[in-house]
Amino acid sequence: MVGIEHFTRSFLRAGASALLLAALSSCQTDDFKPSAGEGGASAAVTPANDTGLYNQTLGSGSVKVAYLGVRRADQPSRQADSEYRDGAALAVNTLGSDVVKLTMLETTEKPEAIEAATRTLARQQVSFIVTTARGAEFEAIQRGLGGLQVPMVAFQTNEAVLPENVYPFVSSPTDSLIESASFAMAEGATHAVILASSPAEKAQADRIATQIKAFGGKVEPVVELSGGTLPAKALNSWSKADMVVLMPGIKSPGDVLKKADAAKPPRPGRKIVASAVLTAQDLNEPKLTGSIVCRYDQNVQARIGSRYMASYGMPASAQAGYGFDAMAMAIGLAGRFREAAFTPEQLMSPNGFSGSLGVFRLEGDRKVRRNCDIFKVAKGSYVFFQKAPPTL
């Protein structure tokens, strides 16, 4: 089993007038062993068929952990859940079969079925649960645990409302915009305006604004577009901003920028921060050339692609990467701390963890933060610009 190595690295955080340089120690699982005979080391989990629910145990370690899957009616959700599960199984088979004993249990969406499955895990005295549960399903899980305090990681984003002992694990477009804005500040931007398409999106834009302020920047009140045009009041500060953040719901963002710039010239050297949902037309729009885009999915193939392909016969997806990383984190902590591995202090260690999707950290407000590779829009596509830093 490849252990967890501690090392000291530096990280860059943008401020209003200077860059903050600090050192932190990161907790990284070595290059996801082994380099030879990768396929032979993996006992692949057989996907559940249309009628059966999977129930399998992997590994023989002393620390008991669980994967609780909830079978969905719609095929896209079932496919994603299958890939999360396969990624988790791959982590056990290649990293920690002698560290953890993983029970993989699937249930239907019925609350009573979820509760019964959780009772099975409670009887086994599992120390940690990775789950595809969502929403009110956590109430059934808590009933099944019968008062046991078992920390969980859920494949939900930071926007989800989760119980106190459940940590989200999936990075959202809003998270990517926060990281892109941080990079724009590292390139010199200090004053942002954020454009949103709806009241619901404005709520997420407010979270980005809060983070930019925490990084030391200034942010104008979030602008909710009306008919693709900036309100007159918002134009008053347009020339002051040297960063424009485009929320994913903005349609034809190039046209929005052209209209605003024609009404009020932009500040020289302005940075545009965008998401990975731009259309082909957007990518060819001159106004968006040079836009900064954070992408989380670029490390998966390089880190676990060959092993995943050997085990499951398909390319590793971002969902497989999330599943792998959640279980790799559990294995790394169990290898160091055994039964005391999953305390809040260990799970939310500022050291963070390194996985197939990059370096990530569970933070004190029960949010997940993950670094990313930076791309810039050029020549009608996303062009790689800078590799994700080794620390947050």
Side-chain angles (χ1 to χ4, degrees):
M1 179 258 184
V2 176
I4 299 293
E5 294 184 351
H6 286 274
F7 58 95
T8 300
R9 299 181 186 270
S10 62
F11 74 100
L12 204 57
R13 175 70 60 85
S17 59
L19 299 179
L20 173 64
L21 187 63
L24 60 85
S25 124
S26 179
C27 189
Q28 180 174 19
T29 304
D30 265 1
D31 193 26
F32 304 147
K33 82 167 197 184
S35 58
E38 293 171 342
S42 176
V45 174
T46 302
N49 58 34
D50 290 339
T51 56
L53 298 170
Y54 61 79
N55 184 350
Q56 185 169 1
T57 300
L58 300 177
S60 58
S62 61
V63 180
K64 297 177 182 177
V65 298
Y67 182 99
L68 178 62
V70 180
R71 177 175 287 195
R72 309 293 173 192
D74 64 289
Q75 184 55 39
S77 292
R78 289 179 65 172
Q79 180 62 34
D81 289 354
S82 173
E83 292 168 8
Y84 287 135
R85 181 186 75 236
D86 289 345
L90 182 66
V92 174
N93 288 325
T94 58
L95 293 179
S97 61
D98 58 342
V99 176
V100 299
K101 183 176 182 179
L102 171 65
T103 297
M104 309 190 80
L105 193 59
E106 187 180 41
T107 178
T108 66
E109 294 179 273
K110 296 178 181 179
E112 59 271 23
I114 296 172
E115 182 178 345
T118 308
R119 279 201 301 270
T120 298
L121 300 177
R123 286 194 296 269
Q124 295 178 7
Q125 297 183 315
V126 298
S127 302
F128 184 68
I129 297 174
V130 176
T131 182
T132 63
R134 59 195 185 200
E137 292 167 352
F138 286 105
E139 297 175 11
I141 291 176
Q142 297 295 349
R143 290 194 300 271
L145 288 174
L148 292 177
Q149 297 300 309
V150 181
M152 287 174 259
V153 158
F155 296 118
Q156 299 290 302
T157 68
N158 287 327
E159 289 80 23
V161 178
L162 298 171
E164 188 171 340
N165 65 333
V166 182
Y167 301 85
F169 204 69
V170 176
S171 294
S172 69
T174 298
D175 297 316
S176 74
L177 289 170
I178 289 171
E179 297 304 319
S180 295
S182 176
F183 184 85
M185 295 180 73
E187 288 197 327
T190 62
H191 192 150
V193 61
I194 306 174
L195 307 185
S197 66
S198 66
E201 197 167 62
K202 183 177 180 298
Q204 296 310 315
D206 287 335
R207 187 160 75 87
I208 298 172
T210 298
Q211 288 296 314
I212 292 175
K213 291 174 184 176
F215 296 157
K218 182 176 181 179
V219 187
E220 295 295 324
V222 174
V223 179
E224 186 181 336
L225 295 185
S226 175
T229 303
L230 264 71
K233 185 177 181 180
L235 282 173
N236 293 335
S237 58
W238 189 247
S239 297
K240 300 176 184 177
D242 56 7
M243 181 198 329
V244 176
V245 180
L246 301 170
M247 296 298 289
I250 300 292
K251 305 299 182 186
S252 302
D255 291 339
V256 172
L257 293 174
K258 277 188 273 190
K259 290 178 184 177
D261 289 350
K264 200 81 176 282
R267 182 172 166 179
R270 178 186 63 185
K271 312 293 183 185
I272 304 296
V273 170
S275 64
V277 299
L278 297 178
T279 67
Q281 181 178 346
D282 295 335
L283 291 170
N284 282 286
E285 168 57 55
K287 279 286 183 183
L288 294 177
T289 296
S291 294
I292 298 167
V293 180
C294 152
R295 299 186 65 178
Y296 294 111
D297 57 353
Q298 298 306 296
N299 290 322
V300 179
Q301 294 305 321
R303 300 301 296 273
I304 65 170
S306 61
R307 292 159 217 186
Y308 192 87
M309 177 66 78
S311 296
Y312 304 108
M314 63 183 68
S317 64
Q319 285 79 15
Y322 283 121
F324 184 96
D325 289 358
M327 196 53 62
M329 177 185 71
I331 293 166
L333 289 172
R336 290 199 64 222
F337 303 107
R338 315 313 291 180
E339 300 299 335
F342 306 114
T343 64
E345 292 75 19
Q346 303 301 351
L347 287 167
M348 295 187 292
S349 169
N351 297 340
F353 307 89
S354 179
S356 65
L357 289 165
V359 174
F360 62 93
R361 180 172 63 230
L362 301 180
E363 301 194 321
D365 53 357
R366 289 188 304 106
K367 304 290 185 185
V368 63
R369 186 173 177 205
R370 188 173 276 106
N371 71 6
C372 52
D373 293 325
I374 296 296
F375 288 71
K376 291 197 174 183
V377 173
K379 300 179 180 178
S381 65
Y382 298 105
V383 177
F384 175 77
F385 184 74
Q386 183 169 303
K387 184 177 176 61
T391 62
L392 281 164

